[in-house]
Amino acid sequence: MKLHTLYIYIMLLAGISCSGCIREDEYDNSPHGNLYALWNIINEQYCFLDYKEQTLDFKWNDMYAKYASRLSSSMDSYQLFEVMCDMLSELRDGHVNLYNPHDVGRYWSWYEDYPTNFNEELQRKYLSNDYRIASGIKYKILDDNIGYIYCGDFSTAIGNGNLDEIMHYLRTCNGLIVDVRNNSGGQLTNAEILSRRFTNKRILVGYTAHKTGPGRNNFSTPEPEYLEPSTGIRWQKKVVLLTNRRCYSATNTFVRNMKECPNVTVLGDQTGGGSGLPFCSELPNGWLIRFSACPMYTARMEHIEFGIAPDVNVSLSLEDALRGEDTLIEEARLLLNISE
Amino acid sequence: MKKILHAVVFTLTTFVLPISAKAQEVTDTVAANRYTVHSTMFGLGSTNQLESYLSPFEYTGAQISFLRESLRMTRMAQGRISYQGLFDGYVGCATGPEDDGNELGGSIGYHAGWHYHWTPSAQWRLMAGLQFGGDIGFLYNMRNGNNPAQARARIESAASVAAIYKFHLGRHSLTFRAQTDFPFMGAIFSPNYGQSYYEIFSKGNYDHNICFTHMGNAPSFRGLFTLDFPIGGYIFRVGYNYDIRQSKVNHLKSHVYNHSFLIGYVKHFSFHKHKEKNPNRFIL
């Protein structure tokens, strides 16, 4: 074999090696480059752009030019961060966050602009010191034989065995209060595990979709979401679900599911919303951006990004609070006792 | 893609096939005795990882790898076809361009290949054939809270060519091998563009999660260069391996560029069912 054939072989390999590299577009690590990268991530991956443009009356296409006018090459990272957060706040989405080493950009008006309707001191009067805890869920039988469950977080794994114990303990109660006030979310699977205790049959609770490409209208066909009944102990009596504006994300989905269950009445304030499953990405300067990527809808294909209205709207009253009473819990007890 | 196809055709037609006319007759005693070359190598090198599902930026860092190779002649085509098994894997840790995030990646795979051999001279052996295999792996972005990881799985069929050159340096017999494999068709797992793993695995909503791959949307290749040399009755092997894995499916871009320097040992086995008239253990 002649040596030149070996050279050809090596040259061919080198040629193949250099062709067809798959790489991403690169942005400048400058104020303009970072702002454009941020704008483009939202433009291509954020799942509520059309909905937000319609309901909030803005055009995302105009946003880059609007906020780029506030940039200068000499600005520091604090000023750039402020401009970026202002642009992101147009979306009014609690799932949109910008993380940098000195701060977290956030939109928390979904609960900060509204009354809390929850007071831990008042709740303590009902729970006292002899309540039980399982999987992070506090539970107790109130004086009028109404069961009370407080789930303040869906981040902690909820075990089916724990739920069986809870349901078994509360089985003699005339009704059940499920309190998810101030629960700002966690794992969707935990929310689903708990809501499965309140239906005896498979029910349609909503739809979910995802983006299939960077285009504005690149969405998958919404897939139905069904709630399967738990194989463990299921609650068969009346339920009142207490909500406030801090019910967000996975808790918002929990409330959506519960509204489809029989015997459930939602009482309190509207939930905070947050119906987009979040994803993360990065900017050229290393800052992390979180945003809503997969939209979730109700069983009637309605958006729940801005929250779910309760069946009975009740606010915490100052007079009740001064008496040491939680208005929402008292209203729920009244409702359950009347039903009984 | 056209360039790559032309390159493959050009290699086979101008480089490999004409030499086959001069191929020497090979006895099948090597196959009958199941003469097998096993090698185990460990590598250290660099990695460059892009997974646009997790981040639009390339993460670079270091990786460690292993490569276990088994090579033996078969009885097919009068003992001119060899079987090659390649079992490999790597674990790498890479850092983002601004040193703010880290990614941990790894994969493990097996490829089985059959090569036709030409022996244009006592020193040269040329091989061309097909390879089938697959790998599974992961990439974990330690910074992302909501979409922290990407699973990887692929099966592929590849064209494979190799050249082996045996020579002497003083009293020592050395063997050099250059091999390249380029997958031309296969299938790959991928979530859809904005699809979450919650939707795939908790809800069972599948959406183009198994994608057909070809040289246009997944131009990948591997180059392996090794040198076998004896020391004190043992055969050692040093090598360089570049493994380029790329894909662009569901609008998601992904690549892993691994470069490894390898070192290991080689073992030769045979069953000696038949006496070899003219022992020719030259496979690799």
Side-chain angles (χ1 to χ4, degrees):
Chain A
M1 195 190 79
K2 301 236 170 85
L3 272 178
H4 74 264
T5 52
L6 187 62
Y7 294 147
I8 292 170
Y9 177 79
I10 292 167
M11 291 305 290
L12 277 171
L13 289 183
I16 292 167
S17 305
C18 294
S19 66
C21 288
I22 291 179
R23 303 197 113 111
E24 267 290 11
D25 297 334
E26 290 186 5
Y27 299 102
D28 292 337
N29 187 5
S30 64
H32 282 88
N34 280 295
L35 186 74
Y36 186 76
L38 178 64
W39 178 88
N40 199 45
I41 286 168
I42 297 297
N43 191 52
E44 293 186 346
Q45 298 185 59
Y46 185 67
C47 67
F48 292 125
L49 264 189
D50 281 351
Y51 174 62
K52 295 286 172 82
E53 283 187 346
Q54 287 163 16
T55 53
L56 303 176
D57 195 26
F58 69 83
K59 290 286 176 199
W60 187 250
N61 283 342
D62 302 336
M63 289 299 123
Y64 175 71
K66 178 181 173 182
Y67 287 94
S69 65
R70 289 170 55 183
L71 300 180
S72 73
S73 54
S74 60
M75 70 195 309
D76 60 27
S77 66
Y78 299 95
Q79 293 165 323
L80 177 62
F81 182 74
E82 189 181 323
V83 173
M84 287 180 162
C85 288
D86 286 350
M87 185 172 80
L88 292 175
S89 68
E90 301 269 3
L91 300 169
R92 298 191 197 176
D93 188 335
H95 273 147
V96 173
N97 297 105
L98 185 64
Y99 298 86
N100 79 359
H102 61 76
D103 203 359
V104 177
R106 61 200 179 269
Y107 174 82
W108 283 355
S109 295
W110 48 271
Y111 75 88
E112 287 176 338
D113 291 354
Y114 301 94
T116 313
N117 285 316
F118 180 70
N119 185 319
E120 215 167 322
E121 291 299 320
L122 292 177
Q123 188 200 33
R124 198 173 295 165
K125 291 185 187 302
Y126 291 87
L127 286 173
S128 175
N129 295 323
D130 57 348
Y131 60 91
R132 297 183 175 198
I133 305 175
S135 285
I137 296 172
K138 298 173 181 174
Y139 61 105
K140 183 180 178 173
I141 299 174
L142 302 179
D143 296 341
D144 52 354
N145 200 32
I146 297 294
Y148 177 79
I149 286 177
Y150 180 70
C151 181
D153 187 7
F154 281 122
S155 299
T156 309
I158 297 177
N160 275 312
N162 299 119
L163 287 179
D164 281 341
E165 290 292 337
I166 294 171
M167 294 294 163
H168 187 260
Y169 177 71
L170 300 174
R171 69 191 184 284
T172 55
C173 295
N174 296 330
L176 180 65
I177 297 170
V178 179
D179 191 348
V180 290
R181 288 176 293 171
N182 275 28
N183 182 337
S184 55
Q187 302 290 327
L188 280 169
T189 45
N190 293 332
E192 191 178 319
I193 285 169
L194 182 56
S195 53
R196 288 174 63 196
R197 298 284 169 161
F198 301 97
T199 180
N200 291 324
K201 60 179 184 181
R202 185 177 190 246
I203 52 173
L204 177 70
V205 290
Y207 290 87
T208 186
H210 55 260
K211 290 209 74 178
T212 55
R216 278 286 182 90
N217 299 315
N218 294 152
F219 280 95
S220 64
T221 306
E223 292 281 348
E225 281 189 81
Y226 292 96
L227 190 66
E228 301 283 348
S230 169
T231 53
I233 301 172
R234 297 190 295 272
W235 189 259
Q236 304 296 326
K237 300 171 192 172
K238 294 283 181 189
V239 179
V240 173
L241 177 63
L242 304 187
T243 56
N244 68 351
R245 288 276 178 173
R246 288 205 71 166
C247 296
Y248 197 75
S249 192
T251 311
N252 195 54
T253 308
F254 174 74
V255 175
R256 180 202 69 172
N257 293 354
M258 291 291 281
K259 277 202 104 171
E260 301 299 327
C261 294
N263 304 325
V264 175
T265 304
V266 180
L267 185 147
D269 198 358
Q270 179 162 319
T271 61
S275 64
L277 209 145
F279 270 33
C280 295
S281 192
E282 287 179 294
L283 302 182
N285 59 8
W287 295 355
L288 189 78
I289 169 72
R290 189 173 81 135
F291 55 90
S292 301
C294 308
M296 300 176 94
Y297 309 93
T298 66
R300 290 155 291 285
M301 277 300 291
E302 299 152 337
H303 275 285
I304 48 172
E305 166 66 1
F306 291 126
I308 299 168
D311 299 316
V312 183
N313 204 323
V314 177
S315 299
L316 207 63
S317 84
L318 185 60
E319 293 78 17
D320 288 342
L322 289 173
R323 281 201 302 272
E325 289 181 353
D326 184 316
T327 314
L328 280 76
I329 293 177
E330 291 303 322
E331 286 291 330
R333 292 169 85 172
L334 196 64
L335 204 62
L336 290 168
N337 283 318
I338 289 170
S339 305
E340 186 59 27
Chain B
M1 182 184 166
K2 265 188 175 178
K3 278 183 186 173
I4 297 170
L5 276 173
H6 286 163
V8 174
V9 172
F10 183 72
T11 306
L12 292 173
T13 54
T14 64
F15 176 56
V16 177
L17 296 179
I19 294 163
S20 69
K22 296 188 286 179
Q24 295 176 351
E25 188 180 328
V26 178
T27 62
D28 63 352
T29 49
V30 172
N33 287 339
R34 288 185 66 84
Y35 176 60
T36 307
V37 180
H38 282 302
S39 72
T40 303
M41 295 199 287
F42 300 96
L44 182 68
S46 67
T47 185
N48 177 315
Q49 302 173 335
L50 167 71
E51 181 54 69
S52 65
Y53 185 75
L54 306 177
S55 166
F57 298 104
E58 295 179 13
Y59 280 57
T60 55
Q63 48 90 12
I64 53 172
S65 61
F66 74 91
L67 177 62
R68 171 99 173 135
E69 182 186 11
S70 173
L71 186 65
R72 65 178 168 81
M73 297 305 294
T74 69
R75 295 181 185 185
M76 290 186 278
Q78 295 179 315
R80 289 175 189 272
I81 292 179
S82 66
Y83 168 81
Q84 183 187 40
L86 288 169
F87 177 48
D88 64 350
Y90 87 95
V91 177
C93 188
T95 307
E98 292 297 315
D99 284 346
D100 283 324
N102 293 306
E103 282 184 349
L104 185 68
S107 76
I108 194 164
Y110 188 82
H111 289 79
W114 288 265
H115 294 88
Y116 192 89
H117 286 232
W118 291 269
T119 49
S121 73
Q123 286 185 301
W124 281 97
R125 182 178 290 255
L126 303 170
M127 301 154 67
L130 289 174
Q131 205 178 56
F132 303 94
D135 53 75
I136 55 170
F138 71 97
L139 187 62
Y140 175 65
N141 188 307
M142 299 179 191
R143 198 179 178 203
N144 288 8
N146 295 96
N147 53 325
Q150 173 74 302
R152 287 172 169 161
R154 74 171 80 204
I155 53 169
E156 62 196 12
S157 45
S160 175
V161 290
I164 298 169
Y165 179 61
K166 191 160 189 161
F167 60 101
H168 285 83
L169 199 65
R171 290 184 295 110
H172 301 293
S173 173
L174 290 84
T175 308
F176 174 76
R177 178 261 303 268
Q179 177 174 345
T180 187
D181 316 317
F182 22 110
F184 56 86
M185 195 169 64
I188 191 171
F189 165 81
S190 173
N192 212 320
Y193 181 71
Q195 189 180 22
S196 67
Y197 277 90
Y198 167 76
E199 208 183 333
I200 298 171
F201 294 119
S202 295
K203 294 293 173 186
N205 296 342
Y206 305 108
D207 185 13
H208 298 101
N209 298 127
I210 305 294
C211 304
F212 173 70
T213 56
H214 47 80
M215 293 172 79
N217 66 4
S220 302
F221 38 89
R222 185 221 308 264
L224 179 63
F225 302 90
T226 61
L227 178 70
D228 293 6
F229 56 95
I231 296 179
Y234 297 96
I235 299 173
F236 292 91
R237 177 177 287 182
V238 292
Y240 166 66
N241 181 36
Y242 65 90
D243 197 3
I244 308 297
R245 300 282 156 179
Q246 304 185 110
S247 67
K248 186 182 177 185
V249 294
N250 292 335
H251 300 281
L252 294 173
K253 293 179 181 177
S254 170
H255 77 220
V256 178
Y257 302 157
N258 282 350
H259 296 267
S260 306
F261 288 100
L262 304 158
I263 188 162
Y265 58 93
V266 181
K267 283 185 176 177
H268 296 249
F269 297 97
S270 61
F271 288 110
H272 288 294
K273 284 179 185 172
H274 303 276
K275 187 178 179 184
E276 297 177 36
K277 290 177 186 171
N278 181 22
N280 178 11
R281 291 184 170 187
F282 174 32
I283 301 177
L284 181 58

